Amino acid sequence: MSGSLWMPPGSRPETLPVIPSRRATPGWARPDPLDELSARLDDFTAAAVHPDEIAALLESDGLSDDQIRERYGVKNSFALAEELYERTERRYPEPEGPPHDPWRAGLLGCLLRGLLFALPGLGYVLGAPLLAGPRDAFGLPAATLPLLAGALVGWTWNQGLAHRAYSWLGLGDRPAARRCLLLGAPVGALLGALAALAVAGAHPGAVAFAAGQSVYLGAATALLVMGRERALLAALLPMSAGAVLALVRPVPDEARLTLLLGSLMVVTLLGLREVAPRKGRGAALNLRLPPRERDKPRRTRSRDTATGPRLSASLPYALFGLATGVLVLYAALGDALSGEGTVALTLSMGPAEWLLYRFRSGTLTGLRSTGTARAFRRATVRTAAWCLAAYLAALLALALATSALWPGAPQITGVRLAGLLLLGVVLWTGLLLQSFGAVLGTTAICCTAALAQTFALLTHTGNPHWTGPIVHGTAALAQVTLVCVLLGRATAHR
């Protein structure tokens, strides 16, 4: 009586009885509707990143909450979506073909823009007779102050003007961008000429040359913003060829003046043709300004709109142009750089622009290939370090090449080379932060650096040979830190 009633005769006590297994589902039972729905939506639910995506699909199929309760026995579409999401293993499909890269840019086009920034410098070679004269009270060559004053005002104004025009282009309003350039470029040219006149003294030739310089800056800004780099290059080629010829053999003053005025006139006409409003496709130029609100849609003429860019939004970009212009000019006038270094820095803006595109492309790859915020930050820092190293290598090569080819150039020293490279770091990281909209931080750093160098110059503080590299190095360190902090976040790359 102590044995189990289930044990057959002859079996050992430790043997467990065999219980026949039951069928999980009777043969006459219908399949589970939830299993059928999960199998039918398997591809979609496996790729979903949240149950709400599945709920949206269910509702788009016309399933009401009453039908869901009757068929699947759950409360509503969201509860059904959560059930399907939990049942399905995550499988995210890879995109077909190579991923799209909107930041892919050609190196040749960027190098062309860098060349366009440097070619106008040859105009000073042709304009040397207009700029001749005794040194001024500061010991600088004649006409230096009027040219610097006009250039600083032009860089400041046109940097802000270009930002405002690009903002209109970003909103898809090309006529408004043209109108912005048509109104803003002459004002900038006038301000540049007045600034040169204010510091020129008795030097009418310098004032005339500075006025032409201001007109060129406005017209070239319009052409570059509207994407007419090739037209600008064609207009500058005769003047550039004449300047190169003047370096190797004497050129009459009349020919010099003709080349300068001819190039300036062509650039101005091209810029005016590009921004002047048109009555229709292929119509002749209409130099009359369009009536106010003519380009607005009919439904918005009766009420005020705030869709256009604010004027104050362009102010930080103008200040950035002023601050970087001051840093470059101090370097060109001091011992940190000489003429050949300034040319190398200007030519390096072509590779700098291309490397900005490469950074955006590299961070886009990092967004696809990394799975955590820390891994993305490391990938971003590596990409930024590679792009900055490539830019400094290009700048170093250009500096050594221009120093070797520049007639009568002094021997390049370690301090001068360090000042050049540190200034390059400031400019490239500033452009990088500016391209991500972090313009306030880089503007504050560059303005502080420009004020610090101005204070050191006026008060004769420190060794003038080391002031530039120290200021540039401090600003470079601050901006590199800002790049690592701000651009290491994935949300900055939206």
Side-chain angles (χ1 to χ4, degrees):
M1 295 297 293
S2 61
S4 173
L5 295 177
W6 292 96
M7 296 177 63
S11 60
R12 295 191 299 271
E14 65 272 11
T15 304
L16 295 177
V18 178
I19 302 176
S21 60
R22 296 192 307 168
R23 298 175 61 181
T25 303
W28 47 265
R30 296 181 56 188
D32 185 6
L34 198 56
D35 291 337
E36 289 184 336
L37 182 63
S38 178
R40 181 164 63 88
L41 301 180
D42 180 72
D43 291 339
F44 183 85
T45 55
V49 297
H50 195 274
D52 288 353
E53 294 185 47
I54 307 173
L57 177 66
L58 296 174
E59 292 176 356
S60 67
D61 284 343
L63 284 176
S64 64
D65 290 343
D66 293 337
Q67 291 173 330
I68 289 174
R69 282 191 291 268
E70 179 182 351
R71 294 182 190 178
Y72 306 107
V74 294
K75 183 179 179 180
N76 51 32
S77 60
F78 294 99
L80 179 58
E82 291 179 358
E83 180 68 24
L84 294 173
Y85 187 82
E86 293 176 358
R87 284 174 173 237
T88 310
E89 183 182 357
R90 302 296 98 206
R91 299 189 310 273
Y92 300 109
E94 293 292 332
E96 298 180 359
H100 175 61
D101 187 0
W103 300 107
R104 189 176 299 276
L107 177 59
L108 184 60
C110 296
L111 293 179
L112 173 62
R113 292 175 71 90
L115 182 63
L116 287 174
F117 296 149
L119 281 181
L122 294 174
Y124 297 102
V125 177
L126 289 177
L130 292 175
L131 308 177
R135 291 182 175 269
D136 58 19
F138 299 97
L140 298 174
T144 300
L145 285 181
L147 294 180
L148 293 185
L152 282 178
V153 171
W155 289 343
T156 305
W157 180 269
N158 289 299
Q159 186 84 357
L161 178 65
H163 171 263
R164 183 161 179 81
Y166 276 124
S167 299
W168 280 116
L169 291 177
L171 294 174
D173 197 341
R174 200 171 182 87
R178 288 195 178 101
R179 188 167 60 252
C180 172
L181 294 169
L182 180 62
L183 294 175
V187 175
L190 178 61
L191 292 176
L194 291 177
L197 180 61
V199 298
H203 205 315
V207 174
F209 193 92
Q213 172 185 263
S214 300
V215 172
Y216 169 81
L217 288 175
T221 298
L223 290 173
L224 290 174
V225 169
M226 304 307 292
R228 297 299 306 275
E229 292 89 351
R230 297 182 185 275
L232 181 58
L233 177 62
L236 291 177
L237 283 180
M239 183 272 296
S240 303
V244 173
L245 181 62
L247 290 174
V248 296
R249 58 177 301 177
V251 175
D253 292 347
E254 294 78 6
R256 292 170 180 260
L257 187 60
T258 301
L259 287 172
L260 285 173
L261 292 178
S263 293
L264 178 61
M265 184 178 300
V266 172
V267 172
T268 305
L269 290 177
L270 286 174
L272 183 62
R273 179 179 181 272
E274 188 63 32
V275 302
R278 296 167 173 81
K279 293 183 178 180
R281 180 176 297 181
L285 294 182
N286 178 19
L287 298 182
R288 292 183 301 125
L289 293 178
R292 186 177 297 273
E293 298 184 353
R294 171 68 62 85
D295 59 333
K296 288 187 178 181
R298 185 178 300 276
R299 63 178 180 276
T300 64
R301 291 184 190 173
S302 60
R303 65 178 187 273
D304 293 334
T305 59
T307 57
R310 295 177 291 106
L311 282 173
S312 59
S314 300
L315 180 61
Y317 294 86
L319 292 178
F320 177 82
L322 173 63
T324 53
V326 168
L327 292 176
V328 171
L329 290 181
Y330 277 153
L333 294 175
D335 292 332
L337 282 176
S338 60
E340 75 277 7
T342 309
V343 173
L345 196 62
T346 306
L347 289 173
S348 71
M349 290 297 102
E353 182 180 352
W354 183 74
L355 288 168
L356 291 177
Y357 284 108
R358 293 302 304 163
F359 177 81
R360 299 301 293 260
S361 179
T363 54
L364 185 62
T365 303
L367 286 172
R368 290 193 301 263
S369 60
T370 56
T372 63
R374 181 173 296 179
F376 175 73
R377 183 181 294 274
R378 287 197 300 265
T380 301
V381 171
R382 285 196 303 267
T383 304
W386 181 89
C387 292
L388 182 57
Y391 170 69
L392 292 180
L395 179 57
L396 177 61
L398 289 170
L400 295 177
T402 53
S403 178
L405 298 175
W406 195 270
Q411 183 179 2
I412 191 166
T413 63
V415 176
R416 290 176 53 213
L417 193 57
L420 170 64
L421 296 180
L422 290 172
L423 182 56
V425 173
V426 173
L427 294 179
W428 191 82
T429 53
L431 293 174
L432 178 62
L433 291 168
Q434 191 182 102
S435 67
F436 279 88
V439 65
L440 294 179
T442 183
T443 299
I445 293 172
C446 291
C447 287
T448 303
L451 290 175
Q453 197 159 358
T454 302
F455 177 80
L457 177 66
L458 295 178
T459 59
H460 305 284
T461 303
N463 189 338
H465 295 276
W466 287 95
T467 299
I470 291 174
V471 170
H472 299 160
T474 305
L477 179 61
Q479 294 202 153
V480 168
T481 304
L482 199 59
V483 166
C484 295
V485 171
L486 295 181
L487 304 188
R489 301 195 302 256
T491 54
H493 301 263
R494 291 177 292 184

